[in-house]
Amino acid sequence: MHVSVKTATFTLLRQLGMIWIVGNPGSTEETFLQDLPEDFTYVQVLHEGSVVAIADGLAQGLRQPVLVNVHTGVGLGNSMGAILTAFQNKTPLIITSGQQTRDMLLFEPALTNVNAVTMPLPWVKWSYEPVRPEDVPGAFMRAYAMAVQPPAGPVYLSLPMDDWDKMITARNYLRTVSHRVAPDPVRLADFALRIDQSKNPVLIYGADIARSNAWDAGVHLAEQLQAPVWSTPFNERAIFPSSHSLYAGILPAAIAPLADCLRGHDLALVVGAPVFRYYPYIAGHYLPEGTSLLQITDDFDAAAKAPVGDSLIGDSLLFLEQIVPMIAPRTHHMRPHHLDQRVKLSASTEFLSAEAVFDILKPLCPDEFILLEESPSNAPALRQIFAIDQPDSFYTFASGQLGWNMPAAIGLALHEQISGRHRPVIVFVGDGAFNYAPQCIYTGVRHHTHVIFVVLQNHEYAILKEFAIEEKLKNIPGLELPGIAIADIGSAYGAHATVAITAIELEAAFREAMRYQGVSVLQVPISSELHPLID
């Protein structure tokens, strides 16, 4: 029996549960997309960077790969920043783009993706262009296997546009692979012994706690050890209840200040994170004198490049489940709460401070919602006021790529529809970051997602000004952002948009956005205040 390459491929995708396609079509993709089967859903996005970020958010919600379709080399180029972020987020995506017709590839006609396999490297786990049309379905199966195996991440396929109608012998391409790697039992026993022998251990949790569904197991270990729990710097997920008595806060992202936070502990146990994401450079010792470090990660690269400590390759949940029975419980005793004192409200009378905005909106939020932030200068205040006490309720980027959180919020909101949970998605975004991906609003409106974008408008890149102060730099151009009509941009894409200046206006606008059940854009002018980059 013979079937077309397209029929064989869509049969495999259906078997894998990959029935969502997020894309921005071009001419080289139309042969793949024509007569799309009715059980597949195509999510149209207006820019390839937003394509990948929406798919990233959707895949994180679904906890499975999502198919991405962008336009040959030019669309792939537009999406590279978001692909870099997906790689660092460890999000499984199968990114595809059309390639020119095979009969013309030799002389590289218009829209040929020249050296297609090398273009997305090193930010995909595997990159491939099938040598024959017959290899296309098998390439998708290999791509899926690569994407889901730890550490999960994006992969890329370049697909000649004339392959889809070629006839091939029908066969079953489906196979399964493991999604997790278990810790080496000998090294696990050694780690357990070192934990038991420590007098004052400290726990440091990273985003793999969330990715491996290890929230409860992480709480269990902390309570068994009666050890404080720090979040790693630049942590992109919710990893531990921030109102828990053992939660210490977020570690500073610099060498010397981070080490100072660990002073007095003889053992630091890092679970599910690199050691560490540092920026800016503040010289010092990686660890205090007398402190040793143990790292558990499913990422061999993160283990290899850690500047200090001993590493164990393993899934976070499997490690936590296996280590708890191997270590002795410790007596409960009171520990000082390490979180900073509550932030002070601005004395400004012209505009609300960011802290005041958070204080006003937090009581208006429902019991369950998803929070994203892309306002770096205001992130510390947000994390203090908005306590994260539920798993899978906070997301941001693992990279420094502005323009990820807004489209990712649309993807997460799509998952809320699919799952039937219907939590609203609330995004705090700076006016600078807002301008990286406003086109995602169109997709959110078309799919009736419940997303509220609260745009904190201080008319500047405040985080860059704070970096300049830290680095003792002066007279840097391009840090001012006057004259952007945020609400008008939101309205142009079909969102319910408004400007809220006073506390009364903000409260009314947010309540309306909660009732609206669609996409809302709240333009909120805030006072311009710079804070120390590293306390």
Side-chain angles (χ1 to χ4, degrees):
M1 178 181 174
H2 288 78
V3 296
S4 68
V5 169
K6 184 173 181 179
T7 296
T9 299
F10 275 94
T11 297
L12 173 64
L13 292 173
R14 191 177 290 113
Q15 292 171 322
L16 294 170
M18 295 185 62
I19 59 173
W20 289 81
I21 303 173
V22 186
N24 185 26
S27 57
T28 54
E29 290 69 48
E30 289 181 322
T31 52
F32 168 65
L33 295 172
Q34 71 169 336
D35 298 323
L36 191 70
E38 292 184 357
D39 56 331
F40 284 74
T41 298
Y42 185 80
V43 180
Q44 180 191 13
V45 189
L46 303 181
H47 186 276
E48 287 86 354
S50 290
V51 165
V52 174
I54 287 176
D56 192 337
L58 178 57
Q60 289 197 52
L62 292 170
R63 293 184 177 273
Q64 69 178 48
V66 167
L67 183 60
V68 176
N69 189 234
V70 298
H71 180 40
T72 188
V74 291
L76 182 63
N78 283 339
S79 66
M80 277 307 302
I83 293 172
L84 181 154
T85 298
F87 184 89
Q88 295 193 10
N89 285 349
K90 299 185 180 180
T91 303
L93 300 174
I94 298 180
I95 301 165
T96 64
S97 68
Q99 176 62 291
Q100 258 290 5
T101 304
R102 287 184 185 272
D103 285 347
M104 295 196 296
L105 277 178
L106 177 62
F107 51 88
E108 297 179 5
L111 297 181
T112 299
N113 190 353
V114 180
N115 293 327
V117 172
T118 62
M119 186 173 178
L121 298 174
W123 301 115
V124 293
K125 294 181 62 182
W126 182 59
S127 185
Y128 187 66
E129 185 174 277
V131 176
R132 308 175 302 160
E134 294 90 336
D135 295 333
V136 170
F140 270 89
M141 186 62 244
R142 181 173 173 183
Y144 180 93
M146 287 293 295
V148 300
Q149 290 183 92
V155 296
Y156 172 70
L157 294 175
S158 171
L159 303 167
M161 60 185 293
D162 57 331
D163 281 0
W164 297 108
D165 290 332
K166 300 292 174 60
M167 302 303 291
I168 59 175
T169 302
R171 72 178 183 87
N172 182 19
Y173 293 91
L174 183 67
R175 52 188 296 269
T176 61
V177 295
S178 173
H179 292 216
R180 287 179 167 168
V181 56
D184 169 27
V186 174
R187 195 159 180 83
L188 182 72
D190 175 63
F191 275 33
L193 179 62
R194 292 173 67 177
I195 294 170
D196 263 342
Q197 291 175 341
S198 66
K199 295 180 179 179
N200 188 19
V202 60
L203 298 172
I204 302 168
Y205 286 169
D208 288 348
I209 294 281
R211 283 186 277 266
S212 62
N213 270 322
W215 176 281
D216 291 338
V219 173
H220 189 181
L221 177 62
E223 292 176 346
Q224 179 154 331
L225 288 176
Q226 284 300 299
V229 176
W230 286 95
S231 171
T232 53
F234 302 120
N235 206 342
E236 66 269 24
R237 295 289 297 272
I239 47 84
F240 194 82
S242 55
S243 62
H244 196 288
S245 61
L246 291 172
Y247 184 62
I250 302 172
L251 286 171
I255 296 170
L258 190 154
D260 287 341
C261 291
L262 305 183
R263 203 169 300 282
H265 298 284
D266 59 341
L267 179 69
L269 183 64
V270 182
V271 183
V275 179
F276 288 104
R277 289 179 179 140
Y278 296 116
Y279 193 60
Y281 177 65
I282 300 178
H285 296 289
Y286 291 109
L287 294 172
E289 185 177 355
T291 304
S292 59
L293 184 145
L294 303 178
Q295 178 196 31
I296 296 85
T297 177
D298 67 0
D299 188 341
F300 61 89
D301 183 61
K305 68 187 180 186
V308 66
D310 301 321
S311 299
L312 169 62
I313 299 295
D315 175 79
S316 293
L317 178 60
L318 295 180
F319 168 79
L320 291 167
E321 289 179 335
Q322 293 174 29
I323 201 72
V324 165
M326 301 173 69
I327 57 178
R330 304 200 179 198
T331 304
H332 174 76
H333 59 279
M334 294 297 296
R335 289 183 178 274
H337 204 258
H338 290 268
L339 280 174
D340 297 332
Q341 294 297 312
R342 182 60 175 262
V343 291
K344 296 180 180 180
L345 298 184
S346 169
S348 170
T349 57
E350 183 179 7
F351 295 120
L352 297 168
S353 67
E355 294 88 345
V357 171
F358 303 148
D359 263 329
I360 291 166
L361 297 186
K362 179 60 173 70
L364 305 180
C365 293
D367 291 338
E368 291 193 351
F369 63 96
I370 295 176
L371 178 67
L372 293 91
E373 67 84 8
E374 196 169 302
S375 180
S377 61
N378 299 306
L382 176 68
R383 295 295 291 272
Q384 287 186 42
I385 294 171
F386 275 75
I388 307 299
D389 284 328
Q390 298 181 35
D392 300 328
S393 61
F394 174 80
Y395 298 81
T396 190
F397 46 62
S399 68
Q401 181 221 349
L402 294 182
W404 182 87
N405 281 270
M406 286 181 63
I410 304 299
L412 288 162
L414 286 171
H415 173 256
E416 290 300 303
Q417 293 179 348
I418 297 167
S419 68
R421 193 168 180 179
H422 295 294
R423 292 176 295 173
V425 181
I426 302 169
V427 188
F428 288 99
V429 59
D431 49 350
F434 176 86
N435 287 281
Y436 278 74
Q439 65 284 129
C440 72
I441 295 171
Y442 176 82
T443 303
V445 169
R446 289 288 299 273
H447 287 269
H448 310 288
T449 59
H450 191 189
V451 182
I452 302 171
F453 296 111
V454 181
V455 186
L456 304 170
Q457 187 173 34
N458 53 15
H459 302 283
E460 63 185 358
Y461 284 123
I463 188 65
L464 297 182
K465 290 185 177 182
E466 291 171 1
F467 267 104
I469 293 170
E470 177 67 40
E471 301 291 343
K472 297 179 175 56
L473 304 173
K474 296 180 179 180
N475 301 321
I476 299 173
L479 303 188
E480 307 297 331
L481 300 170
I484 301 173
I486 300 291
D488 290 349
I489 296 172
S491 295
Y493 284 111
H496 177 73
T498 188
V499 180
I501 297 176
T502 68
I504 293 174
E505 291 173 346
L506 178 60
E507 181 175 338
F510 192 79
R511 289 186 186 276
E512 174 61 25
M514 277 293 174
R515 290 191 295 266
Y516 179 58
Q517 299 291 312
V519 179
S520 298
V521 175
L522 278 59
Q523 177 182 346
V524 186
I526 62 171
S527 56
S528 177
E529 299 177 41
L530 301 180
H531 307 283
L533 196 62
I534 301 291
D535 289 328

